[in-house]
Amino acid sequence: MDNIKIEKLTQVLQKLNQEGVTESLRKEAIDIVSNISPIELSIAEQNLIEKGMKPQDLRHLCDIHMEVLKGELDKIKTKIEPGHVVYTLIAEHDKILEFLTQLEEINSKIQRTENYANSLQEIELLKIVIFNILDAENHHQREEKVLFTEMENREITGPTRIMRMEHEDLKTRKEFLKTLAEDASQSNFDEFKEKVDETAKYIIFNLRDHIFKENYILYPTAIESIQGNETWNDMKRRCDEIGYCGFTPKV
């Protein structure tokens, strides 16, 4: 690995976090990220944490590296086959993204409704979509207990630490939205709408961002760092033991 390149990116990420995105910093970051591997990118982020930056400060660090990586998902999938641990996780992400689009549409309709009686259909749809989103728990468990653990065994700990933290934060928000939907009949409707709007938008934005980072940063790092079919086969066995989601595509 190119330590000079990693150090340069680390310095740029620090500047972006402290000073914000300027055009010159943006161009510098794009130039570096265009010529850096997923593992090197992960190490740069890890360096920031080790230097004292809080993981949550990295969560909303600029999206420079994501801009460069758009369109790379198909390349990732050509390296693996259906049934592979990562292939399944990506397929589940596709379904979760569909649920988030549904949640966006349902919330928009609820916000245009004037009273509880006129929103009964939308509230029932809200219950269904939040059930589907919460059904991703086995997806997160397979990531944390199998994929992340293998990466951490190879001393890649920065990205997995951030993803674990985001899992926990998002789970709390998802459960709160579920409670809101279930208690809607007992709530002041204007307050209900306000809380649903705030919570739904938080989940939609942050879960999309989370999925993007896993698809384009964490999963490529895993594929590059975890070598050997025997290891991946053992990981698949452990994933099977944890189980899958109701929406996991059949392959």
Side-chain angles (χ1 to χ4, degrees), residues 42-129:
S42 297
I43 291 171
E45 292 187 343
Q46 193 168 314
N47 285 348
L48 290 172
I49 293 173
E50 290 171 355
K51 288 183 177 181
M53 187 177 289
K54 295 178 182 178
Q56 56 264 37
D57 290 335
L58 278 175
R59 293 169 64 189
H60 302 300
L61 198 59
C62 79
D63 295 334
I64 297 294
H65 53 293
M66 296 181 190
E67 184 178 331
V68 173
L69 292 167
K70 282 180 180 175
E72 291 293 306
L73 201 57
D74 287 339
K75 293 180 185 177
I76 296 166
K77 291 170 82 171
T78 62
K79 298 178 181 178
I80 52 181
E81 297 180 352
H84 186 283
V85 169
V86 173
Y87 196 102
T88 300
L89 292 171
I90 291 172
E92 288 170 337
H93 275 172
D94 290 343
K95 294 298 295 183
I96 295 169
L97 289 169
E98 289 178 17
F99 298 145
L100 292 177
T101 298
Q102 292 170 19
L103 176 58
E104 202 165 33
E105 293 168 353
I106 293 164
N107 178 51
S108 178
K109 289 178 181 177
I110 289 174
Q111 298 310 313
R112 295 196 301 269
T113 308
E114 295 182 359
N115 55 60
Y116 172 75
N118 291 338
S119 66
L120 292 177
Q121 183 177 354
E122 283 72 30
I123 290 171
E124 287 307 307
L125 291 173
L126 178 62
K127 291 177 184 178
I128 293 169
V129 76

Side-chain angles (χ1 to χ4, degrees), residues 33 38-39 41-42 45 65-66 69 76 151 159 211-222:
V33 172
I39 287 182
L41 189 57
S42 297
E45 292 187 343
H65 53 293
M66 296 181 190
L69 292 167
I76 296 166
M151 295 176 72
I211 286 171
F212 200 106
K213 285 182 286 192
E214 288 190 332
N215 278 355
Y216 293 98
I217 305 295
L218 191 132
Y219 292 169
T221 300

Side-chain angles (χ1 to χ4, degrees), residues 59-60 63 66 93 96-97 100 136 139-140 143-144 148 159-171 174 202-219:
R59 293 169 64 189
H60 302 300
D63 295 334
M66 296 181 190
H93 275 172
I96 295 169
L97 289 169
L100 292 177
H139 168 92
H140 302 315
E143 285 182 329
E144 292 187 9
F148 293 3
T160 58
R161 196 182 316 171
I162 296 166
M163 295 301 103
R164 288 178 192 274
M165 182 179 66
E166 292 185 0
H167 284 172
E168 197 60 37
D169 174 50
L170 284 162
K171 184 179 180 182
K174 289 183 278 187
Y202 184 96
I203 292 169
I204 291 161
F205 176 83
N206 286 283
L207 188 47
R208 280 175 176 163
D209 180 63
H210 177 87
I211 286 171
F212 200 106
K213 285 182 286 192
E214 288 190 332
N215 278 355
Y216 293 98
I217 305 295
L218 191 132
Y219 292 169

